[in-house]
Amino acid sequence: SIISVSTGRSWCADSYNPRPGVMENVPSSRDYNGGFQVSLIRKDLSIALEAAEQAEAESKFGEHAIQMYRELEKKGFGKKDFGYVYQYIHKNFEV
């Protein structure tokens, strides 16, 4: 609640939290069903990375992010909401 009304405010904090149980009626509280799919965010990241390459711009964070979404697709989570990456990070990285 404090973050949502301070300089830390973000869309994830007050509208679309990726952590299950924090907000009602968002994909994370519906087993990541019914949102913007992993496969679609991966496609969009591919387009963004192609543009970055054409502009000779580095995009290390984008490259890292697309690897995570590719991995989720390989594991059969392509139709889950893109916020499912929260579960991937939580299970695979020390946070």
Side-chain angles (χ1 to χ4, degrees):
S1 296
I2 292 170
I3 290 173
S4 295
V5 294
S6 69
T7 57
R9 189 223 161 260
S10 73
W11 180 70
C12 284
D14 65 20
S15 301
Y16 207 84
N17 198 294
R19 185 175 172 96
V22 174
M23 299 177 147
E24 294 181 29
N25 301 317
V26 296
S28 61
S29 291
R30 295 188 310 264
D31 194 30
Y32 297 93
N33 292 314
F36 192 73
Q37 296 178 354
V38 163
S39 59
L40 295 174
I41 197 75
R42 195 261 323 132
K43 175 193 62 80
D44 288 354
L45 279 167
S46 294
I47 293 167
L49 288 171
E50 285 177 27
E53 185 177 325
Q54 289 174 3
E56 298 180 6
E58 283 191 41
S59 184
K60 291 183 183 188
F61 184 75
E63 292 166 11
H64 188 66
I66 201 168
Q67 293 291 36
M68 289 185 207
Y69 285 109
R70 284 179 179 148
E71 185 68 24
L72 288 173
E73 277 188 302
K74 285 181 196 174
K75 292 182 178 202
F77 300 111
K79 295 200 181 289
K80 293 287 187 185
D81 177 74
F82 75 99
Y84 192 74
V85 76
Y86 168 82
Q87 296 296 333
Y88 177 83
I89 292 168
H90 189 4
K91 291 176 182 173
N92 293 289
F93 299 95
E94 192 172 321
V95 198

